[in-house]
PDB file of all heavy atoms in Angstrom:
ATOM      1  N   ALA J 510     136.154 183.410  16.027  1.00 98.00           N
ATOM      2  CA  ALA J 510     136.563 184.817  16.108  1.00 98.00           C
ATOM      3  C   ALA J 510     135.443 185.718  16.595  1.00 98.00           C
ATOM      4  O   ALA J 510     134.284 185.571  16.185  1.00 98.00           O
ATOM      5  CB  ALA J 510     137.052 185.281  14.738  1.00 98.00           C
ATOM      6  N   GLY J 511     135.796 186.687  17.453  1.00 98.00           N
ATOM      7  CA  GLY J 511     134.844 187.676  17.967  1.00 98.00           C
ATOM      8  C   GLY J 511     135.005 189.001  17.256  1.00 98.00           C
ATOM      9  O   GLY J 511     135.847 189.827  17.620  1.00 98.00           O
ATOM     10  N   LEU J 512     134.231 189.247  16.213  1.00 98.00           N
ATOM     11  CA  LEU J 512     134.413 190.370  15.305  1.00 98.00           C
ATOM     12  C   LEU J 512     133.562 191.562  15.697  1.00 98.00           C
ATOM     13  O   LEU J 512     132.549 191.429  16.378  1.00 98.00           O
ATOM     14  CB  LEU J 512     134.032 189.931  13.890  1.00 98.00           C
ATOM     15  CG  LEU J 512     134.518 188.544  13.443  1.00 98.00           C
ATOM     16  CD1 LEU J 512     133.882 188.155  12.120  1.00 98.00           C
ATOM     17  CD2 LEU J 512     136.042 188.516  13.356  1.00 98.00           C
ATOM     18  N   ARG J 513     133.952 192.732  15.220  1.00 98.00           N
ATOM     19  CA  ARG J 513     133.119 193.909  15.420  1.00 98.00           C
ATOM     20  C   ARG J 513     131.753 193.673  14.747  1.00 98.00           C
ATOM     21  O   ARG J 513     131.667 193.046  13.695  1.00 98.00           O
ATOM     22  CB  ARG J 513     133.793 195.152  14.842  1.00 98.00           C
ATOM     23  CG  ARG J 513     134.832 195.749  15.778  1.00 98.00           C
ATOM     24  CD  ARG J 513     135.563 196.915  15.168  1.00 98.00           C
ATOM     25  NE  ARG J 513     136.550 196.474  14.165  1.00 98.00           N
ATOM     26  CZ  ARG J 513     137.380 197.310  13.519  1.00 98.00           C
ATOM     27  NH1 ARG J 513     137.315 198.610  13.747  1.00 98.00           N
ATOM     28  NH2 ARG J 513     138.256 196.830  12.651  1.00 98.00           N
ATOM     29  N   GLY J 514     130.719 194.202  15.370  1.00 97.00           N
ATOM     30  CA  GLY J 514     129.351 193.893  14.994  1.00 97.00           C
ATOM     31  C   GLY J 514     128.714 192.951  15.996  1.00 97.00           C
ATOM     32  O   GLY J 514     127.505 192.926  16.148  1.00 97.00           O
ATOM     33  N   GLY J 515     129.554 192.190  16.693  1.00 96.00           N
ATOM     34  CA  GLY J 515     129.052 191.317  17.753  1.00 96.00           C
ATOM     35  C   GLY J 515     128.964 192.074  19.057  1.00 96.00           C
ATOM     36  O   GLY J 515     129.111 193.298  19.124  1.00 96.00           O
ATOM     37  N   GLY J 516     128.748 191.319  20.138  1.00 95.00           N
ATOM     38  CA  GLY J 516     128.598 191.941  21.442  1.00 95.00           C
ATOM     39  C   GLY J 516     129.782 191.692  22.361  1.00 95.00           C
ATOM     40  O   GLY J 516     129.687 191.948  23.562  1.00 95.00           O
ATOM     41  N   GLU J 517     130.889 191.208  21.808  1.00 96.00           N
ATOM     42  CA  GLU J 517     132.020 190.775  22.637  1.00 96.00           C
ATOM     43  C   GLU J 517     132.547 191.884  23.547  1.00 96.00           C
ATOM     44  O   GLU J 517     133.010 191.626  24.658  1.00 96.00           O
ATOM     45  CB  GLU J 517     133.151 190.246  21.746  1.00 96.00           C
ATOM     46  CG  GLU J 517     132.850 188.938  21.080  1.00 96.00           C
ATOM     47  CD  GLU J 517     132.016 189.057  19.806  1.00 96.00           C
ATOM     48  OE1 GLU J 517     131.648 190.199  19.426  1.00 96.00           O
ATOM     49  OE2 GLU J 517     131.699 188.016  19.202  1.00 96.00           O
ATOM     50  N   GLU J 518     132.519 193.131  23.079  1.00 96.00           N
ATOM     51  CA  GLU J 518     133.068 194.236  23.862  1.00 96.00           C
ATOM     52  C   GLU J 518     132.021 195.323  24.089  1.00 96.00           C
ATOM     53  O   GLU J 518     132.364 196.490  24.273  1.00 96.00           O
ATOM     54  CB  GLU J 518     134.307 194.809  23.161  1.00 96.00           C
ATOM     55  CG  GLU J 518     135.426 193.809  22.907  1.00 96.00           C
ATOM     56  CD  GLU J 518     136.055 193.272  24.183  1.00 96.00           C
ATOM     57  OE1 GLU J 518     135.940 193.944  25.223  1.00 96.00           O
ATOM     58  OE2 GLU J 518     136.668 192.189  24.149  1.00 96.00           O
ATOM     59  N   GLY J 519     130.754 194.966  24.058  1.00 94.00           N
ATOM     60  CA  GLY J 519     129.706 195.935  24.382  1.00 94.00           C
ATOM     61  C   GLY J 519     129.098 196.598  23.163  1.00 94.00           C
ATOM     62  O   GLY J 519     129.392 196.269  22.020  1.00 94.00           O
ATOM     63  N   GLU J 520     128.223 197.569  23.444  1.00 94.00           N
ATOM     64  CA  GLU J 520     127.439 198.195  22.374  1.00 94.00           C
ATOM     65  C   GLU J 520     128.301 199.002  21.404  1.00 94.00           C
ATOM     66  O   GLU J 520     128.015 199.049  20.211  1.00 94.00           O
ATOM     67  CB  GLU J 520     126.337 199.084  22.972  1.00 94.00           C
ATOM     68  CG  GLU J 520     125.430 199.752  21.962  1.00 94.00           C
ATOM     69  CD  GLU J 520     124.766 198.788  20.984  1.00 94.00           C
ATOM     70  OE1 GLU J 520     124.613 197.593  21.304  1.00 94.00           O
ATOM     71  OE2 GLU J 520     124.401 199.240  19.874  1.00 94.00           O
ATOM     72  N   GLU J 521     129.356 199.617  21.860  1.00 95.00           N
ATOM     73  CA  GLU J 521     130.218 200.361  20.933  1.00 95.00           C
ATOM     74  C   GLU J 521     130.885 199.417  19.937  1.00 95.00           C
ATOM     75  O   GLU J 521     131.064 199.754  18.767  1.00 95.00           O
ATOM     76  CB  GLU J 521     131.272 201.147  21.725  1.00 95.00           C
ATOM     77  CG  GLU J 521     130.674 202.312  22.511  1.00 95.00           C
ATOM     78  CD  GLU J 521     131.713 203.059  23.326  1.00 95.00           C
ATOM     79  OE1 GLU J 521     132.852 202.546  23.479  1.00 95.00           O
ATOM     80  OE2 GLU J 521     131.386 204.159  23.821  1.00 95.00           O
ATOM     81  N   TRP J 522     131.234 198.224  20.414  1.00 97.00           N
ATOM     82  CA  TRP J 522     131.807 197.181  19.528  1.00 97.00           C
ATOM     83  C   TRP J 522     130.769 196.749  18.495  1.00 97.00           C
ATOM     84  O   TRP J 522     131.092 196.572  17.319  1.00 97.00           O
ATOM     85  CB  TRP J 522     132.267 196.018  20.392  1.00 97.00           C
ATOM     86  CG  TRP J 522     133.015 194.917  19.708  1.00 97.00           C
ATOM     87  CD1 TRP J 522     132.499 193.703  19.316  1.00 97.00           C
ATOM     88  CD2 TRP J 522     134.390 194.894  19.353  1.00 97.00           C
ATOM     89  NE1 TRP J 522     133.474 192.937  18.756  1.00 97.00           N
ATOM     90  CE2 TRP J 522     134.660 193.653  18.761  1.00 97.00           C
ATOM     91  CE3 TRP J 522     135.423 195.806  19.492  1.00 97.00           C
ATOM     92  CZ2 TRP J 522     135.914 193.282  18.298  1.00 97.00           C
ATOM     93  CZ3 TRP J 522     136.696 195.457  19.027  1.00 97.00           C
ATOM     94  CH2 TRP J 522     136.937 194.199  18.451  1.00 97.00           C
ATOM     95  N   HIS J 523     129.541 196.601  18.935  1.00 96.00           N
ATOM     96  CA  HIS J 523     128.460 196.260  18.020  1.00 96.00           C
ATOM     97  C   HIS J 523     128.299 197.328  16.945  1.00 96.00           C
ATOM     98  O   HIS J 523     128.267 197.026  15.746  1.00 96.00           O
ATOM     99  CB  HIS J 523     127.168 196.077  18.813  1.00 96.00           C
ATOM    100  CG  HIS J 523     125.946 195.983  17.965  1.00 96.00           C
ATOM    101  ND1 HIS J 523     124.762 196.588  18.286  1.00 96.00           N
ATOM    102  CD2 HIS J 523     125.703 195.361  16.770  1.00 96.00           C
ATOM    103  CE1 HIS J 523     123.856 196.343  17.353  1.00 96.00           C
ATOM    104  NE2 HIS J 523     124.407 195.597  16.427  1.00 96.00           N
ATOM    105  N   ARG J 524     128.204 198.567  17.351  1.00 95.00           N
ATOM    106  CA  ARG J 524     127.969 199.652  16.387  1.00 95.00           C
ATOM    107  C   ARG J 524     129.148 199.825  15.440  1.00 95.00           C
ATOM    108  O   ARG J 524     128.949 200.268  14.302  1.00 95.00           O
ATOM    109  CB  ARG J 524     127.697 200.946  17.148  1.00 95.00           C
ATOM    110  CG  ARG J 524     126.443 200.871  18.010  1.00 95.00           C
ATOM    111  CD  ARG J 524     126.073 202.206  18.600  1.00 95.00           C
ATOM    112  NE  ARG J 524     124.944 202.066  19.540  1.00 95.00           N
ATOM    113  CZ  ARG J 524     124.182 203.051  19.936  1.00 95.00           C
ATOM    114  NH1 ARG J 524     124.398 204.279  19.478  1.00 95.00           N
ATOM    115  NH2 ARG J 524     123.188 202.850  20.784  1.00 95.00           N
ATOM    116  N   ALA J 525     130.331 199.455  15.897  1.00 97.00           N
ATOM    117  CA  ALA J 525     131.516 199.581  15.037  1.00 97.00           C
ATOM    118  C   ALA J 525     131.516 198.569  13.894  1.00 97.00           C
ATOM    119  O   ALA J 525     132.359 198.671  12.981  1.00 97.00           O
ATOM    120  CB  ALA J 525     132.787 199.436  15.862  1.00 97.00           C
ATOM    121  N   GLY J 526     130.589 197.604  13.919  1.00 97.00           N
ATOM    122  CA  GLY J 526     130.520 196.610  12.849  1.00 97.00           C
ATOM    123  C   GLY J 526     129.146 196.454  12.276  1.00 97.00           C
ATOM    124  O   GLY J 526     128.797 195.387  11.750  1.00 97.00           O
ATOM    125  N   SER J 527     128.328 197.508  12.350  1.00 97.00           N
ATOM    126  CA  SER J 527     126.975 197.452  11.787  1.00 97.00           C
ATOM    127  C   SER J 527     126.704 198.716  10.978  1.00 97.00           C
ATOM    128  O   SER J 527     127.462 199.687  11.037  1.00 97.00           O
ATOM    129  CB  SER J 527     125.921 197.288  12.882  1.00 97.00           C
ATOM    130  OG  SER J 527     125.961 198.372  13.775  1.00 97.00           O
ATOM    131  N   GLY J 528     125.612 198.683  10.216  1.00 96.00           N
ATOM    132  CA  GLY J 528     125.231 199.852   9.431  1.00 96.00           C
ATOM    133  C   GLY J 528     126.333 200.295   8.505  1.00 96.00           C
ATOM    134  O   GLY J 528     126.901 199.496   7.744  1.00 96.00           O
ATOM    135  N   ALA J 529     126.672 201.573   8.559  1.00 97.00           N
ATOM    136  CA  ALA J 529     127.701 202.146   7.683  1.00 97.00           C
ATOM    137  C   ALA J 529     129.084 201.569   7.963  1.00 97.00           C
ATOM    138  O   ALA J 529     129.992 201.720   7.134  1.00 97.00           O
ATOM    139  CB  ALA J 529     127.734 203.675   7.844  1.00 97.00           C
ATOM    140  N   HIS J 530     129.251 200.899   9.114  1.00 98.00           N
ATOM    141  CA  HIS J 530     130.559 200.364   9.505  1.00 98.00           C
ATOM    142  C   HIS J 530     130.625 198.844   9.320  1.00 98.00           C
ATOM    143  O   HIS J 530     131.540 198.204   9.884  1.00 98.00           O
ATOM    144  CB  HIS J 530     130.831 200.706  10.958  1.00 98.00           C
ATOM    145  CG  HIS J 530     130.679 202.168  11.267  1.00 98.00           C
ATOM    146  ND1 HIS J 530     131.534 203.145  10.787  1.00 98.00           N
ATOM    147  CD2 HIS J 530     129.730 202.825  11.994  1.00 98.00           C
ATOM    148  CE1 HIS J 530     131.145 204.326  11.203  1.00 98.00           C
ATOM    149  NE2 HIS J 530     130.046 204.153  11.938  1.00 98.00           N
ATOM    150  N   LYS J 531     129.738 198.265   8.560  1.00 98.00           N
ATOM    151  CA  LYS J 531     129.686 196.801   8.448  1.00 98.00           C
ATOM    152  C   LYS J 531     130.970 196.226   7.877  1.00 98.00           C
ATOM    153  O   LYS J 531     131.342 195.090   8.238  1.00 98.00           O
ATOM    154  CB  LYS J 531     128.488 196.395   7.574  1.00 98.00           C
ATOM    155  CG  LYS J 531     128.234 194.903   7.518  1.00 98.00           C
ATOM    156  CD  LYS J 531     127.908 194.357   8.907  1.00 98.00           C
ATOM    157  CE  LYS J 531     127.771 192.855   8.920  1.00 98.00           C
ATOM    158  NZ  LYS J 531     127.696 192.317  10.295  1.00 98.00           N
TER     159      LYS J 531
END
Side-chain angles (χ1 to χ4, degrees):
L512 317 170
R513 279 176 285 183
E517 290 81 1
E518 303 294 338
E520 182 55 24
E521 290 178 348
W522 186 259
H523 169 220
R524 298 188 186 199
S527 61
H530 308 292
K531 187 62 185 170

